[in-house]
Amino acid sequence: MLVDTHCHLDFPEFDQDRDQVIERAKEAGFSYLINIASSAKGCRETLNLARAYDLIYAAIGIHPHEADNVTEDDRNLLRELAKVNKVVAIGETGLDYYRNFSTPTAQKTLFEFTLSLAKELNKPLVLHCRQAEEDLWQMLKKILPLSAVVHCFSGSKDFLETCLNAGFFISYTCNITYKKAEALRDLVRITPLDRLMLETDAPYLSPEGRRGKRNEPFYVRELAEYVAKLKNISFEEVAEATTANAKRFFHLP
């Protein structure tokens, strides 16, 4: 069994063949797909997907890129949808100072609200962090203990150790296969298998050899094979451990 713990199948890149993409994952032995919302509109669409497909579960949140435009209605919507059946996490949420599509102040305000919602509802968090490690950690440590996964991990070794020490899970994507990603591969090697999860972040970050093309959950299989080589263990060990981690983190049946 395999799990894609972070994909965006509600995005328009899948409008033409969404059913086929999901069927490919199912036929390849995937037991769960976690669809991650990144906007208020995406929260509704993500929940609709979870209701329509047995293997899809939802995370409800608003990406930091959208923070400047978040309204009180959006926050009320998050609070309402986060309580719905098949919503297994809050996110993705966090800080992104790489693009700065929204101001740091607005990002922090949204993140603070999302953190309080996760604590209130006792839901795990799907964290996004890009070039904002210090600010993110300063906000997180105020409300520890906390169940969280840092998705698409691309931070420093120090930040990895900080997150592991806090009990967080670490999720890697197909960008670890890129030719210039040796620093990321070093982080994969030192991430304990019982704290590691796999994702595509589809439609983004296709594996090496498919860069520039749409990613999809099926390629988690390729990612698992790559992690197995990095850790010098079998594909079956990686699949079993990462699936168990996902089931435990998201409280999947």
PDB file of all heavy atoms in Angstrom, residues 214-251:
ATOM      1  N   ARG A 214       3.006  17.544 -15.729  1.00  0.00           N
ATOM      2  CA  ARG A 214       2.141  17.450 -14.555  1.00  0.00           C
ATOM      3  C   ARG A 214       2.502  16.246 -13.696  1.00  0.00           C
ATOM      4  O   ARG A 214       2.699  15.141 -14.195  1.00  0.00           O
ATOM      5  CB  ARG A 214       0.686  17.328 -15.021  1.00  0.00           C
ATOM      6  CG  ARG A 214      -0.325  17.367 -13.891  1.00  0.00           C
ATOM      7  CD  ARG A 214      -1.719  17.004 -14.390  1.00  0.00           C
ATOM      8  NE  ARG A 214      -1.799  15.598 -14.781  1.00  0.00           N
ATOM      9  CZ  ARG A 214      -2.900  15.014 -15.218  1.00  0.00           C
ATOM     10  NH1 ARG A 214      -4.011  15.716 -15.353  1.00  0.00           N
ATOM     11  NH2 ARG A 214      -2.907  13.725 -15.550  1.00  0.00           N
ATOM     12  N   ASN A 215       2.568  16.465 -12.415  1.00  0.00           N
ATOM     13  CA  ASN A 215       2.762  15.371 -11.467  1.00  0.00           C
ATOM     14  C   ASN A 215       1.400  14.794 -11.087  1.00  0.00           C
ATOM     15  O   ASN A 215       0.375  15.469 -11.230  1.00  0.00           O
ATOM     16  CB  ASN A 215       3.492  15.892 -10.229  1.00  0.00           C
ATOM     17  CG  ASN A 215       4.221  14.795  -9.472  1.00  0.00           C
ATOM     18  OD1 ASN A 215       4.208  13.630  -9.858  1.00  0.00           O
ATOM     19  ND2 ASN A 215       4.871  15.169  -8.384  1.00  0.00           N
ATOM     20  N   GLU A 216       1.400  13.566 -10.568  1.00  0.00           N
ATOM     21  CA  GLU A 216       0.158  12.959 -10.100  1.00  0.00           C
ATOM     22  C   GLU A 216       0.497  11.920  -9.038  1.00  0.00           C
ATOM     23  O   GLU A 216       1.646  11.465  -8.921  1.00  0.00           O
ATOM     24  CB  GLU A 216      -0.620  12.326 -11.241  1.00  0.00           C
ATOM     25  CG  GLU A 216       0.092  11.179 -11.938  1.00  0.00           C
ATOM     26  CD  GLU A 216      -0.810  10.516 -12.978  1.00  0.00           C
ATOM     27  OE1 GLU A 216      -0.879  11.039 -14.115  1.00  0.00           O
ATOM     28  OE2 GLU A 216      -1.445   9.492 -12.644  1.00  0.00           O
ATOM     29  N   PRO A 217      -0.489  11.511  -8.218  1.00  0.00           N
ATOM     30  CA  PRO A 217      -0.212  10.621  -7.092  1.00  0.00           C
ATOM     31  C   PRO A 217       0.508   9.334  -7.448  1.00  0.00           C
ATOM     32  O   PRO A 217       1.313   8.828  -6.647  1.00  0.00           O
ATOM     33  CB  PRO A 217      -1.617  10.345  -6.531  1.00  0.00           C
ATOM     34  CG  PRO A 217      -2.380  11.591  -6.820  1.00  0.00           C
ATOM     35  CD  PRO A 217      -1.884  12.032  -8.166  1.00  0.00           C
ATOM     36  N   PHE A 218       0.263   8.780  -8.618  1.00  0.00           N
ATOM     37  CA  PHE A 218       0.913   7.541  -9.044  1.00  0.00           C
ATOM     38  C   PHE A 218       2.422   7.568  -8.827  1.00  0.00           C
ATOM     39  O   PHE A 218       3.037   6.543  -8.516  1.00  0.00           O
ATOM     40  CB  PHE A 218       0.594   7.295 -10.524  1.00  0.00           C
ATOM     41  CG  PHE A 218       1.275   6.100 -11.112  1.00  0.00           C
ATOM     42  CD1 PHE A 218       0.747   4.824 -10.939  1.00  0.00           C
ATOM     43  CD2 PHE A 218       2.455   6.230 -11.824  1.00  0.00           C
ATOM     44  CE1 PHE A 218       1.379   3.714 -11.488  1.00  0.00           C
ATOM     45  CE2 PHE A 218       3.095   5.129 -12.374  1.00  0.00           C
ATOM     46  CZ  PHE A 218       2.551   3.864 -12.200  1.00  0.00           C
ATOM     47  N   TYR A 219       3.040   8.750  -8.968  1.00  0.00           N
ATOM     48  CA  TYR A 219       4.500   8.837  -8.912  1.00  0.00           C
ATOM     49  C   TYR A 219       5.065   8.753  -7.499  1.00  0.00           C
ATOM     50  O   TYR A 219       6.282   8.747  -7.317  1.00  0.00           O
ATOM     51  CB  TYR A 219       4.977  10.107  -9.617  1.00  0.00           C
ATOM     52  CG  TYR A 219       4.702  10.060 -11.105  1.00  0.00           C
ATOM     53  CD1 TYR A 219       3.992  11.068 -11.738  1.00  0.00           C
ATOM     54  CD2 TYR A 219       5.138   8.979 -11.874  1.00  0.00           C
ATOM     55  CE1 TYR A 219       3.713  11.000 -13.098  1.00  0.00           C
ATOM     56  CE2 TYR A 219       4.864   8.901 -13.230  1.00  0.00           C
ATOM     57  CZ  TYR A 219       4.155   9.915 -13.834  1.00  0.00           C
ATOM     58  OH  TYR A 219       3.871   9.841 -15.170  1.00  0.00           O
ATOM     59  N   VAL A 220       4.202   8.644  -6.488  1.00  0.00           N
ATOM     60  CA  VAL A 220       4.707   8.330  -5.151  1.00  0.00           C
ATOM     61  C   VAL A 220       5.410   6.980  -5.156  1.00  0.00           C
ATOM     62  O   VAL A 220       6.357   6.755  -4.403  1.00  0.00           O
ATOM     63  CB  VAL A 220       3.572   8.363  -4.108  1.00  0.00           C
ATOM     64  CG1 VAL A 220       3.978   7.646  -2.824  1.00  0.00           C
ATOM     65  CG2 VAL A 220       3.206   9.806  -3.767  1.00  0.00           C
ATOM     66  N   ARG A 221       4.961   6.069  -6.007  1.00  0.00           N
ATOM     67  CA  ARG A 221       5.635   4.764  -6.124  1.00  0.00           C
ATOM     68  C   ARG A 221       7.094   4.957  -6.525  1.00  0.00           C
ATOM     69  O   ARG A 221       8.004   4.341  -5.946  1.00  0.00           O
ATOM     70  CB  ARG A 221       4.905   3.880  -7.139  1.00  0.00           C
ATOM     71  CG  ARG A 221       5.590   2.565  -7.421  1.00  0.00           C
ATOM     72  CD  ARG A 221       4.706   1.642  -8.208  1.00  0.00           C
ATOM     73  NE  ARG A 221       3.621   1.141  -7.392  1.00  0.00           N
ATOM     74  CZ  ARG A 221       3.721   0.075  -6.590  1.00  0.00           C
ATOM     75  NH1 ARG A 221       4.877  -0.590  -6.506  1.00  0.00           N
ATOM     76  NH2 ARG A 221       2.716  -0.336  -5.877  1.00  0.00           N
ATOM     77  N   GLU A 222       7.324   5.815  -7.506  1.00  0.00           N
ATOM     78  CA  GLU A 222       8.690   6.111  -7.942  1.00  0.00           C
ATOM     79  C   GLU A 222       9.483   6.781  -6.816  1.00  0.00           C
ATOM     80  O   GLU A 222      10.669   6.496  -6.610  1.00  0.00           O
ATOM     81  CB  GLU A 222       8.625   7.025  -9.167  1.00  0.00           C
ATOM     82  CG  GLU A 222       9.884   7.076  -9.991  1.00  0.00           C
ATOM     83  CD  GLU A 222       9.661   7.756 -11.328  1.00  0.00           C
ATOM     84  OE1 GLU A 222       8.752   7.338 -12.069  1.00  0.00           O
ATOM     85  OE2 GLU A 222      10.409   8.720 -11.618  1.00  0.00           O
ATOM     86  N   LEU A 223       8.826   7.657  -6.078  1.00  0.00           N
ATOM     87  CA  LEU A 223       9.463   8.338  -4.953  1.00  0.00           C
ATOM     88  C   LEU A 223       9.856   7.335  -3.866  1.00  0.00           C
ATOM     89  O   LEU A 223      10.959   7.411  -3.305  1.00  0.00           O
ATOM     90  CB  LEU A 223       8.507   9.396  -4.394  1.00  0.00           C
ATOM     91  CG  LEU A 223       8.949  10.172  -3.165  1.00  0.00           C
ATOM     92  CD1 LEU A 223      10.230  10.958  -3.436  1.00  0.00           C
ATOM     93  CD2 LEU A 223       7.835  11.125  -2.705  1.00  0.00           C
ATOM     94  N   ALA A 224       8.967   6.405  -3.571  1.00  0.00           N
ATOM     95  CA  ALA A 224       9.264   5.395  -2.550  1.00  0.00           C
ATOM     96  C   ALA A 224      10.457   4.541  -2.957  1.00  0.00           C
ATOM     97  O   ALA A 224      11.308   4.190  -2.127  1.00  0.00           O
ATOM     98  CB  ALA A 224       8.037   4.523  -2.309  1.00  0.00           C
ATOM     99  N   GLU A 225      10.532   4.190  -4.231  1.00  0.00           N
ATOM    100  CA  GLU A 225      11.674   3.414  -4.722  1.00  0.00           C
ATOM    101  C   GLU A 225      12.973   4.212  -4.568  1.00  0.00           C
ATOM    102  O   GLU A 225      14.019   3.651  -4.216  1.00  0.00           O
ATOM    103  CB  GLU A 225      11.444   3.041  -6.187  1.00  0.00           C
ATOM    104  CG  GLU A 225      10.329   2.018  -6.378  1.00  0.00           C
ATOM    105  CD  GLU A 225       9.924   1.852  -7.834  1.00  0.00           C
ATOM    106  OE1 GLU A 225      10.365   2.671  -8.673  1.00  0.00           O
ATOM    107  OE2 GLU A 225       9.158   0.909  -8.129  1.00  0.00           O
ATOM    108  N   TYR A 226      12.899   5.514  -4.795  1.00  0.00           N
ATOM    109  CA  TYR A 226      14.088   6.362  -4.684  1.00  0.00           C
ATOM    110  C   TYR A 226      14.534   6.475  -3.222  1.00  0.00           C
ATOM    111  O   TYR A 226      15.736   6.395  -2.923  1.00  0.00           O
ATOM    112  CB  TYR A 226      13.772   7.743  -5.253  1.00  0.00           C
ATOM    113  CG  TYR A 226      14.978   8.551  -5.627  1.00  0.00           C
ATOM    114  CD1 TYR A 226      15.549   8.457  -6.894  1.00  0.00           C
ATOM    115  CD2 TYR A 226      15.562   9.418  -4.713  1.00  0.00           C
ATOM    116  CE1 TYR A 226      16.670   9.202  -7.236  1.00  0.00           C
ATOM    117  CE2 TYR A 226      16.687  10.168  -5.040  1.00  0.00           C
ATOM    118  CZ  TYR A 226      17.224  10.050  -6.302  1.00  0.00           C
ATOM    119  OH  TYR A 226      18.340  10.790  -6.634  1.00  0.00           O
ATOM    120  N   VAL A 227      13.572   6.638  -2.308  1.00  0.00           N
ATOM    121  CA  VAL A 227      13.896   6.710  -0.883  1.00  0.00           C
ATOM    122  C   VAL A 227      14.520   5.393  -0.425  1.00  0.00           C
ATOM    123  O   VAL A 227      15.477   5.385   0.374  1.00  0.00           O
ATOM    124  CB  VAL A 227      12.638   7.043  -0.057  1.00  0.00           C
ATOM    125  CG1 VAL A 227      12.899   6.862   1.445  1.00  0.00           C
ATOM    126  CG2 VAL A 227      12.183   8.474  -0.333  1.00  0.00           C
ATOM    127  N   ALA A 228      14.010   4.286  -0.923  1.00  0.00           N
ATOM    128  CA  ALA A 228      14.559   2.987  -0.556  1.00  0.00           C
ATOM    129  C   ALA A 228      16.035   2.889  -0.926  1.00  0.00           C
ATOM    130  O   ALA A 228      16.861   2.389  -0.140  1.00  0.00           O
ATOM    131  CB  ALA A 228      13.760   1.874  -1.240  1.00  0.00           C
ATOM    132  N   LYS A 229      16.386   3.386  -2.096  1.00  0.00           N
ATOM    133  CA  LYS A 229      17.791   3.376  -2.519  1.00  0.00           C
ATOM    134  C   LYS A 229      18.635   4.284  -1.620  1.00  0.00           C
ATOM    135  O   LYS A 229      19.753   3.918  -1.244  1.00  0.00           O
ATOM    136  CB  LYS A 229      17.898   3.817  -3.972  1.00  0.00           C
ATOM    137  CG  LYS A 229      17.329   2.819  -4.964  1.00  0.00           C
ATOM    138  CD  LYS A 229      17.416   3.336  -6.391  1.00  0.00           C
ATOM    139  CE  LYS A 229      16.795   2.346  -7.368  1.00  0.00           C
ATOM    140  NZ  LYS A 229      16.824   2.870  -8.764  1.00  0.00           N
ATOM    141  N   LEU A 230      18.114   5.453  -1.277  1.00  0.00           N
ATOM    142  CA  LEU A 230      18.868   6.377  -0.424  1.00  0.00           C
ATOM    143  C   LEU A 230      19.132   5.780   0.951  1.00  0.00           C
ATOM    144  O   LEU A 230      20.188   5.997   1.544  1.00  0.00           O
ATOM    145  CB  LEU A 230      18.105   7.697  -0.266  1.00  0.00           C
ATOM    146  CG  LEU A 230      18.006   8.608  -1.491  1.00  0.00           C
ATOM    147  CD1 LEU A 230      17.177   9.843  -1.169  1.00  0.00           C
ATOM    148  CD2 LEU A 230      19.400   9.032  -1.976  1.00  0.00           C
ATOM    149  N   LYS A 231      18.172   5.028   1.449  1.00  0.00           N
ATOM    150  CA  LYS A 231      18.295   4.468   2.793  1.00  0.00           C
ATOM    151  C   LYS A 231      18.821   3.025   2.774  1.00  0.00           C
ATOM    152  O   LYS A 231      18.980   2.420   3.844  1.00  0.00           O
ATOM    153  CB  LYS A 231      16.938   4.533   3.513  1.00  0.00           C
ATOM    154  CG  LYS A 231      16.545   5.948   3.920  1.00  0.00           C
ATOM    155  CD  LYS A 231      15.300   5.945   4.773  1.00  0.00           C
ATOM    156  CE  LYS A 231      15.088   7.275   5.449  1.00  0.00           C
ATOM    157  NZ  LYS A 231      16.101   7.594   6.481  1.00  0.00           N
ATOM    158  N   ASN A 232      19.051   2.499   1.576  1.00  0.00           N
ATOM    159  CA  ASN A 232      19.578   1.146   1.425  1.00  0.00           C
ATOM    160  C   ASN A 232      18.684   0.111   2.101  1.00  0.00           C
ATOM    161  O   ASN A 232      19.138  -0.779   2.837  1.00  0.00           O
ATOM    162  CB  ASN A 232      21.004   1.056   1.987  1.00  0.00           C
ATOM    163  CG  ASN A 232      21.738  -0.180   1.496  1.00  0.00           C
ATOM    164  OD1 ASN A 232      21.465  -0.685   0.407  1.00  0.00           O
ATOM    165  ND2 ASN A 232      22.655  -0.684   2.304  1.00  0.00           N
ATOM    166  N   ILE A 233      17.384   0.252   1.864  1.00  0.00           N
ATOM    167  CA  ILE A 233      16.406  -0.701   2.356  1.00  0.00           C
ATOM    168  C   ILE A 233      15.480  -1.054   1.193  1.00  0.00           C
ATOM    169  O   ILE A 233      15.615  -0.520   0.096  1.00  0.00           O
ATOM    170  CB  ILE A 233      15.592  -0.144   3.550  1.00  0.00           C
ATOM    171  CG1 ILE A 233      14.876   1.164   3.160  1.00  0.00           C
ATOM    172  CG2 ILE A 233      16.505   0.086   4.763  1.00  0.00           C
ATOM    173  CD1 ILE A 233      14.016   1.739   4.274  1.00  0.00           C
ATOM    174  N   SER A 234      14.525  -1.923   1.432  1.00  0.00           N
ATOM    175  CA  SER A 234      13.653  -2.358   0.347  1.00  0.00           C
ATOM    176  C   SER A 234      12.504  -1.376   0.122  1.00  0.00           C
ATOM    177  O   SER A 234      12.113  -0.629   1.035  1.00  0.00           O
ATOM    178  CB  SER A 234      13.078  -3.742   0.660  1.00  0.00           C
ATOM    179  OG  SER A 234      12.144  -3.669   1.728  1.00  0.00           O
ATOM    180  N   PHE A 235      11.964  -1.423  -1.084  1.00  0.00           N
ATOM    181  CA  PHE A 235      10.772  -0.640  -1.397  1.00  0.00           C
ATOM    182  C   PHE A 235       9.638  -1.000  -0.441  1.00  0.00           C
ATOM    183  O   PHE A 235       8.899  -0.128   0.030  1.00  0.00           O
ATOM    184  CB  PHE A 235      10.340  -0.900  -2.845  1.00  0.00           C
ATOM    185  CG  PHE A 235       8.940  -0.454  -3.157  1.00  0.00           C
ATOM    186  CD1 PHE A 235       8.663   0.868  -3.460  1.00  0.00           C
ATOM    187  CD2 PHE A 235       7.885  -1.367  -3.139  1.00  0.00           C
ATOM    188  CE1 PHE A 235       7.368   1.277  -3.734  1.00  0.00           C
ATOM    189  CE2 PHE A 235       6.594  -0.970  -3.417  1.00  0.00           C
ATOM    190  CZ  PHE A 235       6.334   0.360  -3.721  1.00  0.00           C
ATOM    191  N   GLU A 236       9.497  -2.292  -0.147  1.00  0.00           N
ATOM    192  CA  GLU A 236       8.407  -2.741   0.724  1.00  0.00           C
ATOM    193  C   GLU A 236       8.523  -2.132   2.115  1.00  0.00           C
ATOM    194  O   GLU A 236       7.501  -1.754   2.714  1.00  0.00           O
ATOM    195  CB  GLU A 236       8.411  -4.266   0.813  1.00  0.00           C
ATOM    196  CG  GLU A 236       7.958  -4.982  -0.452  1.00  0.00           C
ATOM    197  CD  GLU A 236       9.014  -4.979  -1.557  1.00  0.00           C
ATOM    198  OE1 GLU A 236      10.204  -4.699  -1.258  1.00  0.00           O
ATOM    199  OE2 GLU A 236       8.646  -5.262  -2.717  1.00  0.00           O
ATOM    200  N   GLU A 237       9.754  -2.010   2.616  1.00  0.00           N
ATOM    201  CA  GLU A 237       9.936  -1.388   3.934  1.00  0.00           C
ATOM    202  C   GLU A 237       9.511   0.072   3.925  1.00  0.00           C
ATOM    203  O   GLU A 237       8.871   0.557   4.869  1.00  0.00           O
ATOM    204  CB  GLU A 237      11.401  -1.495   4.359  1.00  0.00           C
ATOM    205  CG  GLU A 237      11.843  -2.875   4.778  1.00  0.00           C
ATOM    206  CD  GLU A 237      13.325  -2.899   5.116  1.00  0.00           C
ATOM    207  OE1 GLU A 237      14.148  -3.084   4.192  1.00  0.00           O
ATOM    208  OE2 GLU A 237      13.665  -2.717   6.307  1.00  0.00           O
ATOM    209  N   VAL A 238       9.864   0.785   2.865  1.00  0.00           N
ATOM    210  CA  VAL A 238       9.480   2.192   2.765  1.00  0.00           C
ATOM    211  C   VAL A 238       7.964   2.325   2.648  1.00  0.00           C
ATOM    212  O   VAL A 238       7.342   3.154   3.327  1.00  0.00           O
ATOM    213  CB  VAL A 238      10.166   2.866   1.555  1.00  0.00           C
ATOM    214  CG1 VAL A 238       9.622   4.271   1.333  1.00  0.00           C
ATOM    215  CG2 VAL A 238      11.673   2.902   1.760  1.00  0.00           C
ATOM    216  N   ALA A 239       7.364   1.521   1.798  1.00  0.00           N
ATOM    217  CA  ALA A 239       5.911   1.586   1.605  1.00  0.00           C
ATOM    218  C   ALA A 239       5.177   1.277   2.906  1.00  0.00           C
ATOM    219  O   ALA A 239       4.238   1.988   3.289  1.00  0.00           O
ATOM    220  CB  ALA A 239       5.483   0.611   0.510  1.00  0.00           C
ATOM    221  N   GLU A 240       5.613   0.228   3.597  1.00  0.00           N
ATOM    222  CA  GLU A 240       4.937  -0.159   4.837  1.00  0.00           C
ATOM    223  C   GLU A 240       5.074   0.924   5.906  1.00  0.00           C
ATOM    224  O   GLU A 240       4.090   1.288   6.567  1.00  0.00           O
ATOM    225  CB  GLU A 240       5.522  -1.478   5.354  1.00  0.00           C
ATOM    226  CG  GLU A 240       4.859  -1.982   6.620  1.00  0.00           C
ATOM    227  CD  GLU A 240       5.427  -3.309   7.092  1.00  0.00           C
ATOM    228  OE1 GLU A 240       6.277  -3.892   6.385  1.00  0.00           O
ATOM    229  OE2 GLU A 240       5.023  -3.766   8.181  1.00  0.00           O
ATOM    230  N   ALA A 241       6.281   1.456   6.073  1.00  0.00           N
ATOM    231  CA  ALA A 241       6.516   2.442   7.125  1.00  0.00           C
ATOM    232  C   ALA A 241       5.797   3.757   6.837  1.00  0.00           C
ATOM    233  O   ALA A 241       5.152   4.331   7.727  1.00  0.00           O
ATOM    234  CB  ALA A 241       8.014   2.693   7.280  1.00  0.00           C
ATOM    235  N   THR A 242       5.893   4.243   5.606  1.00  0.00           N
ATOM    236  CA  THR A 242       5.293   5.549   5.303  1.00  0.00           C
ATOM    237  C   THR A 242       3.767   5.480   5.311  1.00  0.00           C
ATOM    238  O   THR A 242       3.097   6.451   5.693  1.00  0.00           O
ATOM    239  CB  THR A 242       5.797   6.093   3.955  1.00  0.00           C
ATOM    240  OG1 THR A 242       5.559   5.136   2.913  1.00  0.00           O
ATOM    241  CG2 THR A 242       7.287   6.409   4.034  1.00  0.00           C
ATOM    242  N   THR A 243       3.219   4.337   4.921  1.00  0.00           N
ATOM    243  CA  THR A 243       1.765   4.171   5.014  1.00  0.00           C
ATOM    244  C   THR A 243       1.321   4.132   6.468  1.00  0.00           C
ATOM    245  O   THR A 243       0.333   4.777   6.849  1.00  0.00           O
ATOM    246  CB  THR A 243       1.319   2.885   4.293  1.00  0.00           C
ATOM    247  OG1 THR A 243       1.607   3.023   2.897  1.00  0.00           O
ATOM    248  CG2 THR A 243      -0.171   2.634   4.472  1.00  0.00           C
ATOM    249  N   ALA A 244       2.055   3.406   7.306  1.00  0.00           N
ATOM    250  CA  ALA A 244       1.731   3.358   8.737  1.00  0.00           C
ATOM    251  C   ALA A 244       1.831   4.746   9.366  1.00  0.00           C
ATOM    252  O   ALA A 244       0.989   5.131  10.189  1.00  0.00           O
ATOM    253  CB  ALA A 244       2.662   2.377   9.449  1.00  0.00           C
ATOM    254  N   ASN A 245       2.849   5.508   8.964  1.00  0.00           N
ATOM    255  CA  ASN A 245       3.008   6.863   9.490  1.00  0.00           C
ATOM    256  C   ASN A 245       1.820   7.742   9.105  1.00  0.00           C
ATOM    257  O   ASN A 245       1.295   8.501   9.930  1.00  0.00           O
ATOM    258  CB  ASN A 245       4.298   7.494   8.957  1.00  0.00           C
ATOM    259  CG  ASN A 245       5.542   6.810   9.472  1.00  0.00           C
ATOM    260  OD1 ASN A 245       5.506   6.089  10.473  1.00  0.00           O
ATOM    261  ND2 ASN A 245       6.657   7.010   8.788  1.00  0.00           N
ATOM    262  N   ALA A 246       1.409   7.645   7.841  1.00  0.00           N
ATOM    263  CA  ALA A 246       0.286   8.454   7.367  1.00  0.00           C
ATOM    264  C   ALA A 246      -0.998   8.073   8.089  1.00  0.00           C
ATOM    265  O   ALA A 246      -1.797   8.956   8.482  1.00  0.00           O
ATOM    266  CB  ALA A 246       0.120   8.294   5.860  1.00  0.00           C
ATOM    267  N   LYS A 247      -1.225   6.781   8.261  1.00  0.00           N
ATOM    268  CA  LYS A 247      -2.437   6.340   8.953  1.00  0.00           C
ATOM    269  C   LYS A 247      -2.454   6.833  10.392  1.00  0.00           C
ATOM    270  O   LYS A 247      -3.495   7.270  10.899  1.00  0.00           O
ATOM    271  CB  LYS A 247      -2.537   4.816   8.908  1.00  0.00           C
ATOM    272  CG  LYS A 247      -2.835   4.261   7.518  1.00  0.00           C
ATOM    273  CD  LYS A 247      -2.951   2.753   7.520  1.00  0.00           C
ATOM    274  CE  LYS A 247      -4.228   2.304   8.215  1.00  0.00           C
ATOM    275  NZ  LYS A 247      -4.425   0.831   8.061  1.00  0.00           N
ATOM    276  N   ARG A 248      -1.300   6.786  11.034  1.00  0.00           N
ATOM    277  CA  ARG A 248      -1.220   7.241  12.422  1.00  0.00           C
ATOM    278  C   ARG A 248      -1.399   8.749  12.530  1.00  0.00           C
ATOM    279  O   ARG A 248      -2.140   9.246  13.392  1.00  0.00           O
ATOM    280  CB  ARG A 248       0.136   6.814  13.007  1.00  0.00           C
ATOM    281  CG  ARG A 248       0.289   7.136  14.494  1.00  0.00           C
ATOM    282  CD  ARG A 248       1.480   6.404  15.075  1.00  0.00           C
ATOM    283  NE  ARG A 248       2.756   6.985  14.684  1.00  0.00           N
ATOM    284  CZ  ARG A 248       3.615   6.420  13.845  1.00  0.00           C
ATOM    285  NH1 ARG A 248       3.316   5.277  13.257  1.00  0.00           N
ATOM    286  NH2 ARG A 248       4.771   7.001  13.563  1.00  0.00           N
ATOM    287  N   PHE A 249      -0.751   9.490  11.636  1.00  0.00           N
ATOM    288  CA  PHE A 249      -0.796  10.952  11.711  1.00  0.00           C
ATOM    289  C   PHE A 249      -2.185  11.496  11.404  1.00  0.00           C
ATOM    290  O   PHE A 249      -2.705  12.368  12.117  1.00  0.00           O
ATOM    291  CB  PHE A 249       0.233  11.554  10.746  1.00  0.00           C
ATOM    292  CG  PHE A 249       0.216  13.059  10.706  1.00  0.00           C
ATOM    293  CD1 PHE A 249       0.798  13.789  11.740  1.00  0.00           C
ATOM    294  CD2 PHE A 249      -0.376  13.736   9.664  1.00  0.00           C
ATOM    295  CE1 PHE A 249       0.785  15.174  11.721  1.00  0.00           C
ATOM    296  CE2 PHE A 249      -0.385  15.128   9.634  1.00  0.00           C
ATOM    297  CZ  PHE A 249       0.199  15.850  10.666  1.00  0.00           C
ATOM    298  N   PHE A 250      -2.793  10.989  10.318  1.00  0.00           N
ATOM    299  CA  PHE A 250      -4.098  11.506   9.891  1.00  0.00           C
ATOM    300  C   PHE A 250      -5.275  10.753  10.525  1.00  0.00           C
ATOM    301  O   PHE A 250      -6.420  11.061  10.206  1.00  0.00           O
ATOM    302  CB  PHE A 250      -4.213  11.416   8.364  1.00  0.00           C
ATOM    303  CG  PHE A 250      -3.309  12.355   7.613  1.00  0.00           C
ATOM    304  CD1 PHE A 250      -2.230  11.867   6.891  1.00  0.00           C
ATOM    305  CD2 PHE A 250      -3.530  13.724   7.630  1.00  0.00           C
ATOM    306  CE1 PHE A 250      -1.392  12.734   6.184  1.00  0.00           C
ATOM    307  CE2 PHE A 250      -2.692  14.601   6.919  1.00  0.00           C
ATOM    308  CZ  PHE A 250      -1.626  14.089   6.198  1.00  0.00           C
ATOM    309  N   HIS A 251      -4.983   9.764  11.365  1.00  0.00           N
ATOM    310  CA  HIS A 251      -6.038   8.957  12.010  1.00  0.00           C
ATOM    311  C   HIS A 251      -6.951   8.338  10.950  1.00  0.00           C
ATOM    312  O   HIS A 251      -8.186   8.417  11.032  1.00  0.00           O
ATOM    313  CB  HIS A 251      -6.844   9.798  12.996  1.00  0.00           C
ATOM    314  CG  HIS A 251      -6.000  10.437  14.063  1.00  0.00           C
ATOM    315  ND1 HIS A 251      -5.446   9.718  15.102  1.00  0.00           N
ATOM    316  CD2 HIS A 251      -5.615  11.724  14.250  1.00  0.00           C
ATOM    317  CE1 HIS A 251      -4.751  10.524  15.872  1.00  0.00           C
ATOM    318  NE2 HIS A 251      -4.838  11.750  15.377  1.00  0.00           N
TER     319      HIS A 251
END
